[in-house]
C-alpha cells in the first residue's frame, strides 16, 4: 500500500527554483525520507507560506495548503487539530517563519502542536530578490541594507529551546546522511519539531553559499545530551562553526491535540463527527430555568 | 401594553450584574417578560455602570431612556443616571449613600437601609441580594424560584453563604411587598404563564447556540470586547459538543486557523470585534482565493482603533463588505432579534460550506449584551448540511464547472489529494501564471458566478407595517427592537420598517420589492457617521436616501425607543 | 507619429533587464523617446519574461501588443511572444536557438550568431550586450554614450569586463547598422535633440523621488512585489537624504511605526502592495483616531491573497477606500503619469501633515515598472510645508477648534506635552467615556469637518478631449497612457477621457463638472472585476455607469493600446 | 529645572484600576525612579498598547503614545528612531507584549532599539476579564481555559536572552528596593532593556497573587555574572522559586539609532532637519544621463 519511492512523491510540474538552489536538496531528501518511512501521499498535508522555500509543497505529492506569507504555522496547527490522523509537515523560509510569522512561531511552540517544521534558512529573502532576513548575518549588503545588515541575527534554535520546544535541530543538507536521520526523527517526534535547515540561495546570497555552510558547520558531538536544555542552549549559541544535529528533544509533554477535550476519547477527525442534537436540545432547555 | 423600566446602577464589581442575573431569572419564571440592557465602562472595578431591566406583560426587546425605578449603589451612580428620571420615576436608595437629590420630589424617594440590613446579615455584599429581593417583592414574584436560583448560584461558596443570601433576599422581598402594599410603587402588570417556560438568551448566547446548531466544532479567537462572550460560551460548552477551543496568539492567526480548519474538515467560527477583524483582512482574502468556507461573527463597537471598547456602534459594515485585497464574494447577515441571530448563525455554517465563501454575522455591543425572553429556538427543522465530497484519485480542488462551484474535498476523505493555494492556481491547485485562460476563469468563478449563486438565495429585508406608508424606516441589525417599539407607540398606521438582516448580497428584486410597497418617503436610521447602509443601497440597489434623511448616531450609546420616537415625530408630522 | 516596438524575451536571470537598461539609456541620449514595459513571472531564474521598448519620435508612455522587432533568447521566449507577431514584424534570432518558426515569412527573420560571437569575445553572457549593440546600431544611435554607460555599469567588475562588453557592443552595433543598411529593418524616426536631456524614470522612481521631494525621512516597510522598488530607491538614497530605513518585521509594524514616526516629527512613508496593506488596516484606523498624518504608497497586483504577485491590477480601490474599522477621512491619489506620481507623492506629505490624515498614492505593477522619458521634474515651486506647531505648557493635542483641525504638536518641540491615544479621548488626549459631548464632537471633527476641509482641496479629474463628446472614457491611475494613445490613434474628435488622479474625496462640483462637459455616453475602463471606480462614482458623485458600459479586465495583464482601440471601436461606432 | 518629585509625575485623573491592582505599584515606583533620576516630563515619551497595564501612560506626566493592543514596541522604536533625544519608556501587559505583540518583541530586540520596556506580567488578560495570557501558569482555570491552561508558559527572560537582548531583568515590586534599582539601570541602559514585572491582578487571577509572587521569588545572588549568557539563561529557567534582578546586561552593542546613517553626524531629531534641495536637484539630474 505505502510502497512509494522518492520519485513517486515528485510532482510533474517544472520547478521554478534557480539551478543550484538549496531548496532542491531539501525537496530530494524529504521525498526520500517519507518514502523510506513508508508514508503515503494522501496521509500527509504539506503546509507552507509564501517564498521560494514555501513553493516546496507545490512540488511534492500529498495534500497541500500553500497559505499566506508568514502564516504557515497557524494553518498547520489548525489542520492537525481538526484531523490528528493527518501528518502535517511545514516547509517554509526563514523570512516566512521567523520574520512575518514570528508570533506564530512562538505560539505554536507554546501549544506543542504535533507538527513538523522544516525551516529553509538561506539567510535571505529569496523570492523578493535579496533583502535581509531575520537570520541574515551582520554586515550582509543588500538592496535595502545598503551599508550591511545591523540587526542581531535571529537564532531559531536558542529561541525554540528558550520557548520549551520539544524537538530542536539544525541540519546542513550537504551532510545528507545526518539530514535524513534528523528529518526522520523530526517527523516521528510527537509534538512541535523544528528543523532549521542551512540552504544556499545561489542568486541572492553570495555570502552564505553551499561552500560557506560546509565550512562553517560540524556535527554535534555524540555525547551531546539531548535532554539537557542548558547544554542545548550552550550548543545553540555556537556560531563559529555552527553545530548540526538534534540539540534538544523531550518526549513527555502532551501535544495541543492531546490536551483537547474533543480528543479525550480518540482521534476521530472532526469531519466524521456529528452534532448531538439531544445535547443541543438540552442546552437550549437549560435556558428556560 | 405596560412595562416598568428598572435601572440598577453602580460601580463595576459592585454587584450590578449579580442583581441583574437574579432579577432576570426570577421575574421570567414568575411570568414577566423581561429585557435587560447593560452599559458599562472599559474597566473592571469602579466607574459607573448600569443595567436596565424592563419588566412587562408582553414581549419587549428594546432599550428605553425612561427610568421608572432607579436603584443607585452610590452617589456617582445616581448622578450617572439622574438625567433619565422624570416626575413619575421612583428611587430606592440607602440613606447611607447620602445622595443629594434635587431632581425628585420627596414622594418619589423610597429609603431603605440596605447597608444596615446587609451588615446585620453578616456582610455589606448582601445588599445586592437585598435589592434583588426588593424588586422581586415589588412584583410579588416567585419566591421559591428565587431560592433555587440563589442556591445554584452560591452553593459553590458553601451552605452558609447560600443561607445568608436567602435571608437577604427574604428581607428584601418583604420590603418590596411592603412598598407595593403601601402604594409607594405601583404596577399593574399581570404575569403571563407562558413566559415561565420561555428561553432567556442574550445576543452572544444566541450566536453561540446558533454556531453549535450549525455544527461548529472549532473556534480560534483572541479575546476582544464585546465578542469575547461568544468564545466563552463555546468554551463552556466545548466538552459537551467536542469543540476545539484555541485562544489564538492574535487575530491573524485566528482567521488563518479558521480557514485551515475548514480545509481539514472542521466547521470553524472566527469571532472578534472591528479592530480584531481589521487584522483578519488578509486572511479573508485567503479564504477568497482558496474558495474556503468561513463563518465570522463580528461584534461592532465604536472606533476608530480602540475607540470605546464597551460601547455600541454600526460602523463596520463598509469594512466587512470590502475587507480583503482582490475580489471575491461574501455574505453578510445582521440579525435584529436573538431568534434571527440563532437561525442566521446556524444557516451561516451551511451556506459557507455550500458556497465556499466567508459568511458574516454582524452584531454589536448593544446586541450581544441585550437579554430577553423568547418562546422557542426550534431545532426540529435544523440540519447540519455537509457539502464536502469524497474524493477520487483524479480529484481537482478547483475544477471549473458549469455552475461555478468546484466540489470541495477534504484531506483524508477519499483517495484524492486536496491541494489549495494562496497564489492563483489551475484546477489542480497548482500555481499558475496563465493569464489568458485560467486566471480570468478563476476570477469569474470566484466573483461573477459565485455572485449569481448567492444572489439567488439572498433574503429580502423584512417589511413591517403597511404598504404605501407615508414613512418607511430603513435599518439593519440591532436597532430593530427600538424602532419597532417606537413605531408601535406612535399608534400610526402609516409608518413601515424595512429591516435588513441580510446586507450583502441583496436579492435581485430588492428595488422592485421596495418600490412595490411604495413608500412615500424613506429614512435610514444607523449608528454610524456616514450612513453605511444608505451607501450600500445606493450602489447595490439603486436606492437613494438623501443626506437629510439619514438619522445617524455615533455617540456609542444605543438608540432608545425615545430617540426613535423623536425621529418619527420629526419625519412623519 | 511613428514608433517601433521592440520586445526582448527570455528567462528570468538571462539578462533581459541588462539589455533593457543599456537600450533605454542609450536610445534616450541619442534623442529617441522611449517607453519600456516589463512583464515577468514570480521567480528569480527561468520562465518567460519580456520587456517591451518602444522607440519613437514623440513622447510615448503606453504599452502596445504589437511587436515590430522581437529578440527571443530561446524557444520558450519565442513561444511566449509569438502571438503578438504580425506580417510586418521582424525577428532577430540566433540560429543556435533552433526555434521552429511557422508564424513568420523567411524575410521577416534576421539571423545573428549571437552565441558564437559572444563566445569569441570570451563568454556567452556577452550575448546580451551584443543584442543591445545591434538594436542601438539599428537606430545608428550614440555609440559613445553606450561606451560610457557600459563603463559605469561594469567598472566594478574590472577593466577586462568593461572592455569585453564594449567589444560585444561594437560588434552588435556593426551588425545593427548592417541590418538597417541592407534594408532588412527600416525605420524613419528622426531623433529629437531635446530628448537627450530628458529624465528617465519609472513609476517607482517617480514615487520615490516624490517622497524625497516631500521631505520623507523615514520609511518602515516589509518587502513585497511590486512595491519593493520604492523601499529600495529610498534605501539607495538614504545616506544623502538622511532617511531612516527600517525593514519592518511585518506590515503591521510598518504602519504602526509610520504613525509613531509622524507623531515624533518624522515624515514617514509606508509602501506595500494589497496583501501587505490588508495587514495595515488596524493601524490605519489608529492614524484615524490619533489624527495622524501618514503617507501610504500601495502598488496593486492581482489578488485575492498572493494572487499573481508580479502582475498588474486595479483591484484594491475599495479596500483602500474603506480599510480601517470606525470612521475617519483619507485622501486617495492614483497617478496616471510619472510626473503625476512625482507631484502627487510630494503633495501627499504636505497635505497629510496639514490635514492630519492618511494620504494614499495608489499605483500598480504596470505603473511602477513602466519607464519613460520626461522633460522635467520641476522642483523650483516645491515646498516642504511643515504644519506642526511649537507647543505651550497648556497644549492640548485634540483641541476642538472651529475649523476642525487641532494644531499638531510633536514631543520635544515647545514645552507642551503631546498625548495621543487609540481610545476615544478628550482634548488633552486622555481616555474618555463621555458619550454626550466629547465622543460626538471628536467624530464630527474626524469625519464630518475633516471631510469639508479636504473636499475643498479635492482635485477634479483631467478632461482630455472635446466637450460634448459622443463617448467619454472614465478611468483612473495607470491606464491613462494606453487610453490616450488609443484615442489619439482613433483620429476621432468626439471622444473624451476623464482621468481620475484623485479618487477620494471627489470635489463637490464633480457631477456638475462632468455634466457641463456633457458627454453623450460614458464608459469606465478598469483593471478589476467589479468596476470599483464606477461604484465609487455612484456613491459619491451620483453618476451611474451601467453595467454594460464597464470594460473590465482582470487577467493580470495591463491594457494595451490595441485593447483600448477595440473597446473604442465597439463603443463609438 | 528637572527638580520634579514623584507626585509631579502623577496625572490628576482618577485611575481606573481595581483597588489593590499591581499596576499601582509600578506606577508609584516608576514615578519615584524618574523623579530621582531628575528626568523631566517633556523629555520622556511613555508608550503603551492596550490593556490595564497599558493605561499607565494615561496616569503619568510626560508625552504619551497609547497605541494599539500589541503594538507598543514598533511605536516606541519609531519614536526613538525619529528623535533619539527623547527617552522612550514602554509600559504594557503580558498579553499585549508577549501575546498579540510577540513578533514585535522579537524584532525590536534584534534591532537593539534604545527603549526601555516595562512588562507588567500579571499572567492574565486583565482588561478583557481573565482569559489566559501567554505567561499564565499551566492549569490556571479561566472562562476560556475551562479545564485549565495547557500551553507552555512563555518565558520572556529566556527568550530575550536567546534573542541577544542587551538588558534582561525581572522584578517583583513587593521588593521595592530592588525594583527601583533595576528600573533605574534599565532606563540608563543604552539599548533594548526588558524588565518583566511580577504584578498581581487582584480581580482576575486568584492564583498569582501578591502573596504568591512574594513566596515564589528570591533575589538573584550577588555573585551572578550578568555578562554570562549561559548563566543568565540557566537562572532564567528557574521557576521554583523565580529569581529577580538583572539576569543579563551587555553594553557594547550598537543601538538601532546608532546604526542609522542619518545619525552618523549627531542625534538631531528628524523634525529639525530640512530637505537638501540641491541634492534632490542632483538626484533628478542624474537621471538625465
Ligand atoms: C503579507 C506579505 N508580505 C510580503 C510578501 C512578499 N514576500 C513574498 S516571499 C517573501 C520573502 C521570502 O523569504 P523567505 O521566507 O526567506 O523564503 P525564500 O524565498 O528565501 O526561500 C516576501 C517578503 C507577501 N507575499 N505577503
Ligand atoms: C487587536 C485587538 N485585539 C484584542 C483586543 C482586546 N484586548 C484589550 S486588552 C487585552 C488583554 C490585556 O491583557 P494584558 O496585556 O496582559 O494587560 P492587563 O489588562 O492584564 O494589564 C485584550 C485582549 C484589542 N484591544 N485589540
Ligand atoms: S532566488 Fe535563491 S531561494 Fe530563490 S530559487 Fe533562486 S536560489 Fe533558490
Ligand atoms: S482587572 Fe486586574 S489588572 Fe485590571 S485593574 Fe483590576 S486588578 Fe488590575
Ligand atoms: Mg529565505
Ligand atoms: Mg496581563
Amino acid at each position: 500500500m505505502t510502497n512509494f519511492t522518492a520519485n513517486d512523491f515528485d510532482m510533474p510540474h517544472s520547478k521554478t527554483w534557480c539551478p543550484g538552489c538549496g531548496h532542491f536538496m531539501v525537496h530530494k531528501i524529504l521525498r526520500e525520507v517519507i518514502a523510506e518511512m513508508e508514508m503515503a501521499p494522501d496521509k500527509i498535508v504539506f503546509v507552507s507560506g509564501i517564498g521560494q522555500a514555501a513553493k516546496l509543497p507545490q512540488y511534492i505529492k500529498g495534500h497541500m495548503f500553500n497559505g499566506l506569507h508568514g502564516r504557515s504555522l497557524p494553518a498547520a496547527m489548525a489542520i492537525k487539530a481538526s484531523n490528528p490522523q493527518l501528518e502535517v509537515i511545514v516547509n517554509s523560509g526563514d523570512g516566512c517563519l521567523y520574520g512575518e510569522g514570528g508570533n506564530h512561531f512562538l505560539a505554536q511552540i507554546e501549544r506543542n502542536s504535533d507538527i513538523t517544521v522544516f525551516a529553509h534558512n538561506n539567510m535571505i529573502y529569496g523570492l523578493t530578490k535579496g533583502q535581509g532576513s531575520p537570520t541574515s548575518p551582520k554586515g550582509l549588503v543588500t538592496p535595502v541594507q545598503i551599508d550591511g545588515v545591523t540587526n542581531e541575527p535571529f537564532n531559531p534554535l536558542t529561541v525554540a529551546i528558550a520557548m520549551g520546544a520539544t524537538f530542536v535541530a539544525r541540519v546542513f543538507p550537504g551532510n545528507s546522511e545526518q539530514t535524513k536521520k534528523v528529518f526522520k526523527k523530526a517527523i516521528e517526534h510527537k509534538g512541535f519539531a523544528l528543523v532549521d535547515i542551512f540552504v544556499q540561495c545561489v542568486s541572492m546570497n553570495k555570502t552564505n553559499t553551499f561552500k560557506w555552510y560546509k565550512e562553517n558547520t560540524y556535527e554535534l558531538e555524540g555525547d551531546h545530551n539531548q535532554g539537557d536544555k542548558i547544554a542545548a542552549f550552550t550548543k545553540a549559541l555556537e556560531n563559529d562553526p555552527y553545530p548540526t544535529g538534534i540539540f534538544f528533544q523531550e518526549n513527555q509533554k502532551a501535544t495541543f491535540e492531546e490536551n483537547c477535550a474533543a480528543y479525550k476519547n480518540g482521534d476521530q477527525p472532526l469531519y466524521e463527527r456529528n452534532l448531538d442534537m439531544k445535547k443541543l436540545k438540552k442546552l437550549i432547555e437549560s435556558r428556560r430555568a | 401594553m405596560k412595562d416598568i423600566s428598572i435601572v440598577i446602577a453602580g460601580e463595576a464589581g459592585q454587584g450590578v450584574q449579580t442583581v441583574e442575573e437574579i432579577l432576570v431569572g426570577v421575574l421570567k419564571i414568575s411570568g414577566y417578560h423581561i429585557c435587560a440592557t447593560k452599559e458599562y465602562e472599559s474597566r473592571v472595578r469602579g466607574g459607573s455602570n448600569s443595567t436596565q431591566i424592563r419588566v412587562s406583560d408582553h414581549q419587549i426587546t428594546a432599550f428605553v431612556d425612561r427610568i421608572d425605578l432607579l436603584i443607585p449603589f452610590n452617589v456617582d451612580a445616581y448622578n450617572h443616571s439622574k438625567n433619565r428620571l422624570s416626575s413619575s420615576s421612583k428611587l430606592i436608595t440607602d440613606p447611607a449613600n447620602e445622595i443629594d437629590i434635587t431632581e425628585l420630589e420627596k414622594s418619589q424617594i423610597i429609603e431603605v437601609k440596605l447597608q444596615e440590613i446587609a451588615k446585620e446579615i453578616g456582610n455589606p455584599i448582601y445588599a445586592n441580594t437585598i435589592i434583588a429581593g426588593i424588586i422581586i417583592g415589588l412584583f410579588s414574584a416567585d419566591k421559591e424560584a428565587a431560592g433555587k436560583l440563589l442556591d445554584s448560584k452560591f452553593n459553590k461558596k458553601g451552605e452558609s453563604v447560600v443561607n445568608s443570601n436567602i435571608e437577604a433576599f427574604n428581607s428584601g422581598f418583604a420590603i418590596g411587598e411592603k412598598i407595593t402594599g403601601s402604594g409607594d410603587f405601583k404596577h399593574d402588570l399581570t404575569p403571563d404563564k407562558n413566559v415561565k417556560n420561555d428561553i432567556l438568551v442574550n445576543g452572544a448566547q444566541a450566536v453561540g447556540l446558533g454556531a453549535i446548531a450549525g455544527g461548529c466544532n472549532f473556534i480560534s479567537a483572541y479575546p476582544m470586547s464585546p465578542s469575547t462572550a461568544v468564545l466563552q460560551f463555546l468554551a463552556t460548552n466545548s466538552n459537551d459538543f467536542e469543540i476545539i477551543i484555541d485562544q489564538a496568539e492574535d487575530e491573524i492567526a485566528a482567521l488563518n486557523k479558521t480557514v485551515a480548519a475548514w480545509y481539514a474538515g472542521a466547521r470553524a467560527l472566527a469571532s472578534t470585534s472591528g479592530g480584531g477583524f481589521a487584522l483578519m483582512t488578509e486572511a479573508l482574502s485567503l479564504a477568497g482565493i482558496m474558495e474556503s468556507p468561513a463563518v465570522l461573527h463580528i461584534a461592532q463597537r465604536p472606533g476608530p482603533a480602540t475607540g470605546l471598547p464597551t460601547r455600541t456602534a454600526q460602523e463596520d459594515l463598509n469594512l466587512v463588505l470590502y475587507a480583503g485585497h482582490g475580489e471575491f464574494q461574501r455574505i453578510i447577515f445582521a440579525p435584529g432579534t436573538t431568534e434571527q441571530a440563532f437561525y442566521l448563525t446556524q444557516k451561516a455554517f451551511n451556506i459557507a460550506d455550500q458556497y465556499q465563501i466567508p459568511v458574516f454575522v454582524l452584531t454589536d455591543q448593544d446586541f450581544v449584551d441585550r437579554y430577553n425572553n423568547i418562546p422557542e429556538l426550534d431545532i426540529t427543522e435544523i440540519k447540519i448540511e455537509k457539502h464536502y465530497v469524497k474524493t477520487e484519485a483524479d480529484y481537482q480542488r478547483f475544477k471549473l464547472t458549469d455552475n461555478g462551484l468546484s466540489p470541495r474535498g477534504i484531506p483524508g476523505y477519499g483517495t484524492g489529494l486536496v491541494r489549495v493555494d494562496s497564489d492563483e492556481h489551475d484546477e489542480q491547485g497548482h500555481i499558475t501564471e496563465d493569464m489568458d485562460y485560467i486566471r480570468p476563469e478563476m476570477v469569474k468563478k470566484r466573483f461573477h458566478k459565485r455572485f449569481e449563486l448567492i444572489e439567488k438565495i439572498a433574503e429580502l429585508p423584512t417589511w413591517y407595517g403597511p404598504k404605501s406608508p407615508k414613512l418607511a424606516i430603513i435599518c439593519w441589525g440591532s436597532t430593530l427592537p427600538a424602532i419597532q417599539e417606537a413605531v408601535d407607540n406612535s399608534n400610526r398606521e402609516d409608518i413601515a420598517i424595512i429591516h435588513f438582516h441580510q446586507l450583502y448580497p441583496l436579492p435581485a428584486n430588492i428595488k422592485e420589492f421596495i418600490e412595490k410597497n411604495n413608500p412615500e418617503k424613506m429614512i435610514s436610521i444607523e449608528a454610524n457617521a456616514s450612513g453605511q447602509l444608505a451607501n450600500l443601497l445606493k450602489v447595490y440597489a439603486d436606492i437613494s436616501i438623501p443626506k437629510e434623511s439619514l438619522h445617524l448616531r455615533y455617540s456609542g450609546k444605543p438608540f432608545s425607543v425615545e430617540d426613535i420616537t423623536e425621529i418619527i415625530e420629526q419625519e412623519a408630522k
Side-chain angles (χ1 to χ4, degrees), chain A, chain B:
Chain A
M1 257 299 277
T2 54
N3 257 344
F4 295 93
T5 67
N7 278 346
D8 293 327
F9 279 98
D10 201 8
M11 292 289 279
H13 311 92
S14 77
K15 324 287 176 273
T16 59
W17 293 315
C18 311
C21 172
H23 301 330
F24 279 112
M25 306 181 69
V26 182
H27 182 244
K28 179 163 174 287
I29 295 176
L30 181 58
R31 284 180 294 125
E32 286 168 7
V33 165
I34 54 183
E36 285 171 23
M37 291 174 79
E38 305 198 343
M39 297 168 79
D42 65 343
K43 296 284 173 286
I44 318 175
V45 185
F46 293 97
V47 178
S48 70
I50 291 293
Q52 300 284 26
K55 287 180 183 168
L56 189 139
Q58 298 276 350
Y59 309 132
I60 194 162
K61 198 162 268 158
H63 302 289
M64 173 178 85
F65 188 99
N66 185 176
L68 293 169
H69 180 64
R71 318 301 170 191
S72 56
L73 293 185
M77 175 272 171
I79 292 166
K80 187 73 187 178
S82 301
N83 184 350
Q85 294 175 2
L86 295 167
E87 191 66 44
V88 178
I89 294 177
V90 176
N91 286 80
S92 227
D94 45 331
C96 194
L97 288 163
Y98 309 142
E100 184 88 48
N103 203 29
H104 312 306
F105 182 69
L106 303 180
Q108 267 50 246
I109 293 178
E110 287 165 9
R111 282 158 181 69
N112 198 29
S113 195
D114 185 14
I115 57 182
T116 308
V117 180
F118 294 113
H120 300 221
N121 183 359
N122 53 14
M123 306 189 179
I124 201 82
Y125 283 15
L127 187 57
T128 47
K129 303 201 175 167
Q131 303 80 19
S133 95
T135 57
S136 291
K138 283 196 185 182
L140 189 76
V141 172
T142 85
V144 174
Q145 288 78 19
I146 58 160
D147 298 322
V149 167
T150 58
N151 282 359
E152 184 68 26
F154 179 79
N155 183 331
L157 305 195
T158 56
V159 173
I161 293 163
M163 291 291 304
T166 53
F167 185 103
V168 182
R170 176 193 289 131
V171 296
F172 164 56
N175 180 346
S176 64
E177 208 176 315
Q178 191 195 34
T179 301
K180 271 176 101 159
K181 260 192 233 150
V182 172
F183 275 22
K184 266 187 207 163
K185 291 233 166 111
I187 294 172
E188 281 164 0
H189 176 73
K190 183 182 69 87
F192 187 95
L194 171 70
V195 186
D196 190 69
I197 312 173
F198 274 174
V199 289
Q200 71 281 11
C201 168
V202 297
S203 297
M204 298 297 162
N205 186 336
K206 308 287 183 184
T207 300
N208 308 105
T209 59
F210 183 82
K211 184 156 168 281
W212 185 93
Y213 285 121
K214 198 179 181 84
E215 287 168 1
N216 285 278
T217 50
Y218 75 98
E219 274 197 34
L220 262 177
E221 297 83 358
D223 63 354
H224 169 68
N225 180 353
Q226 298 172 359
D228 179 345
K229 206 169 263 189
I230 292 162
F233 183 77
T234 308
K235 277 291 166 191
L237 282 176
E238 281 186 21
N239 57 18
D240 187 20
Y242 294 87
T244 61
I246 300 171
F247 288 66
F248 185 76
Q249 182 163 17
E250 181 188 339
N251 291 312
Q252 317 79 278
K253 207 190 277 181
T255 65
F256 178 85
E257 302 75 53
E258 287 172 341
N259 284 322
C260 285
Y263 296 119
K264 284 278 141 68
N265 305 315
D267 68 352
Q268 194 194 21
L270 296 185
Y271 79 86
E272 289 181 3
R273 304 182 184 203
N274 290 304
L275 171 60
D276 186 334
M277 282 286 178
K278 271 193 230 120
K279 281 191 181 160
L280 175 57
K281 185 91 199 143
K282 221 177 107 189
L283 178 59
I284 293 173
E285 292 307 319
S286 76
R287 310 210 69 84
R288 299 198 194 274
Chain B
M1 310 257 266
K2 289 156 281 182
D3 77 273
I4 306 287
S5 154
I6 302 168
V7 170
I8 300 144
E11 295 177 7
Q14 251 187 332
V16 172
Q17 207 167 329
T18 313
V19 179
E20 176 192 329
E21 275 171 38
I22 303 173
L23 279 186
V24 158
V26 175
L27 289 171
K28 195 220 66 167
I29 297 240
S30 310
Y32 293 102
H33 293 269
I34 67 96
C35 172
T37 310
K38 263 198 239 316
E39 58 93 22
Y40 48 101
E41 296 183 21
S42 179
R43 60 194 292 175
V44 170
R45 296 278 177 271
S48 293
N49 298 349
S50 73
T51 287
Q52 171 178 82
I53 297 164
R54 294 179 68 194
V55 190
S56 174
D57 59 4
H58 62 284
Q59 204 191 25
I60 37 161
T61 58
F63 166 74
V64 291
D65 281 330
R66 185 190 89 235
I67 297 180
D68 297 318
L69 176 63
L70 175 65
I71 301 138
F73 283 19
N74 58 26
V75 181
D76 285 349
Y78 175 76
N79 290 332
H80 180 67
S81 308
K82 67 184 180 191
N83 63 338
R84 292 166 59 192
L85 295 170
S86 72
S87 61
S88 57
S89 306
K90 295 277 174 175
L91 178 80
I92 295 183
T93 182
D94 189 332
N97 286 337
E98 298 190 349
I99 305 177
D100 180 23
I101 303 166
T102 56
E103 292 76 13
L104 300 179
E105 302 291 317
K106 261 262 154 73
S107 63
Q108 294 177 261
I109 303 168
I110 302 163
E111 294 198 332
V112 180
K113 294 189 174 150
L114 292 163
Q115 287 303 322
E116 225 177 272
I117 308 172
K119 269 183 219 149
E120 264 167 39
I121 296 168
N123 194 326
I125 197 86
Y126 295 126
N128 294 326
T129 313
I130 301 171
I131 291 173
I134 294 174
I135 298 170
I136 290 168
L138 290 177
F139 293 92
S140 312
D142 192 335
K143 216 167 152 177
E144 212 175 298
K148 260 200 229 160
L149 200 147
L150 290 170
D151 185 55
S152 79
K153 197 171 162 59
F154 293 109
N155 68 13
K156 262 195 223 148
K157 298 193 178 170
E159 202 181 333
S160 90
V161 174
V162 172
N163 288 340
S164 300
N165 269 290
I166 291 183
E167 189 186 341
F169 179 85
N170 287 340
S171 59
F173 192 87
I175 297 168
E177 286 200 308
K178 219 173 88 189
I179 294 172
T180 309
S182 72
D184 275 353
F185 178 83
K186 276 179 230 142
H187 81 85
D188 44 8
L189 303 178
T190 327
D192 171 351
K193 257 197 192 159
N194 296 323
V195 170
K196 187 180 162 62
N197 208 27
D198 269 10
I199 295 163
L200 209 53
V201 280
N202 66 17
Q205 291 157 352
V207 169
L209 284 166
I212 292 177
C216 175
N217 50 21
F218 188 109
I219 181 165
S220 176
Y222 192 84
M224 186 162 198
S225 308
S227 68
T228 317
V230 172
L231 168 63
Q232 294 182 176
F233 182 84
L234 292 179
T236 307
N237 292 291
S238 59
N239 284 320
D240 274 355
F241 295 97
E242 300 181 351
I243 304 168
I244 307 289
I245 304 291
D246 176 55
Q247 186 177 313
E249 57 269 34
D250 54 34
E251 289 84 353
I252 299 172
L255 192 56
N256 276 281
K257 287 176 179 181
T258 302
V259 171
W262 275 97
Y263 164 78
R267 289 169 85 91
L269 174 70
S271 177
T272 184
S273 177
F277 175 64
L279 290 165
M280 295 182 173
T281 306
E282 193 202 14
L284 191 75
S285 181
L286 178 68
I289 200 156
M290 284 192 170
E291 303 184 40
S292 171
V295 179
L296 293 99
H297 167 244
I298 315 291
Q300 298 164 100
R301 67 190 215 190
T306 312
L308 290 167
T310 62
R311 306 298 175 175
T312 203
Q314 298 181 307
E315 297 177 2
D316 296 331
L317 170 54
N318 280 336
L319 179 66
V320 163
L321 188 57
Y322 295 113
H325 54 299
E327 293 166 297
F328 53 97
Q329 292 298 340
R330 69 200 71 195
I331 290 174
I332 307 173
F333 293 135
T337 65
T338 42
E339 288 97 329
Q340 267 184 350
F342 176 76
Y343 294 114
L344 289 174
T345 307
Q346 199 281 334
K347 178 177 169 174
F349 283 83
N350 285 340
I351 61 176
D353 197 353
Q354 182 169 5
Y355 296 103
Q356 307 177 20
I357 53 172
V359 180
F360 289 89
V361 178
L362 197 52
T363 66
D364 54 38
Q365 178 271 324
D366 173 42
F367 188 85
V368 294
D369 284 333
R370 193 155 21 86
Y371 264 95
N372 60 266
N373 57 300
I374 53 174
E376 186 57 282
L377 289 176
D378 186 1
I379 60 171
T380 52
E381 299 286 292
I382 274 175
K383 265 199 217 115
I384 310 287
E385 297 167 14
K386 294 186 179 180
H387 290 276
Y388 53 79
V389 298
K390 189 164 185 169
T391 57
E392 306 285 333
D394 62 351
Y395 175 72
Q396 296 194 312
R397 172 64 190 92
F398 297 106
K399 194 151 193 61
L400 294 167
T401 61
D402 286 343
N403 74 351
L405 283 177
S406 311
R408 187 170 75 92
I410 53 180
Y413 184 53
T415 52
L417 298 181
V418 184
R419 297 174 63 84
V420 298
D421 192 354
S422 76
D423 283 281
E424 192 58 273
H425 41 251
D426 61 18
E427 293 179 85
Q428 270 183 58
H430 191 73
I431 186 171
T432 185
E433 301 239 7
D434 177 346
M435 294 179 283
D436 293 319
Y437 177 68
I438 291 289
R439 163 74 186 174
E441 285 304 315
M442 288 294 169
V443 175
K444 266 182 228 158
K445 176 163 66 137
R446 291 188 298 253
F447 192 78
H448 296 117
K449 295 195 176 179
R450 202 63 52 96
F451 181 78
E452 280 169 33
L453 291 170
I454 61 175
E455 191 192 40
K456 267 188 213 130
I457 58 153
E459 298 187 15
L460 280 169
T462 315
W463 187 283
Y464 296 92
K467 296 213 162 189
S468 305
K470 207 165 150 190
L471 180 71
I473 301 174
I474 288 183
C475 61
W476 59 286
S478 66
T479 52
L480 177 63
I483 297 176
Q484 276 184 303
E485 188 169 330
V487 171
D488 281 352
N489 289 349
S490 75
N491 281 323
R492 292 184 51 156
E493 305 282 281
D494 56 356
I495 301 178
I497 304 168
I498 314 176
H499 179 260
F500 287 79
H501 63 275
Q502 173 157 1
L503 295 165
Y504 187 86
L506 298 171
N509 62 337
I510 177 69
K511 195 179 160 89
E512 198 188 310
F513 167 77
I514 289 177
E515 284 174 354
K516 205 183 60 199
N517 279 306
N518 192 32
E520 199 167 300
K521 178 179 184 176
M522 286 193 285
I523 65 172
S524 185
I525 297 185
E526 305 186 49
N528 59 53
S530 58
Q532 302 194 7
L533 173 61
N535 281 347
L536 182 148
L537 292 177
K538 208 159 158 186
V539 183
Y540 297 108
D542 274 312
I543 294 168
S544 223
I545 320 257
K547 267 234 163 67
E548 59 280 9
S549 299
L550 300 180
H551 291 270
L552 307 175
R553 138 166 307 208
Y554 34 82
S555 65
K557 289 188 185 178
F559 282 103
S560 66
V561 173
E562 291 91 338
D563 291 328
I564 309 290
T565 298
E566 208 175 293
I567 295 171
I568 290 176
E569 280 168 4
Q570 180 189 329
E571 289 283 0
K573 279 178 211 141

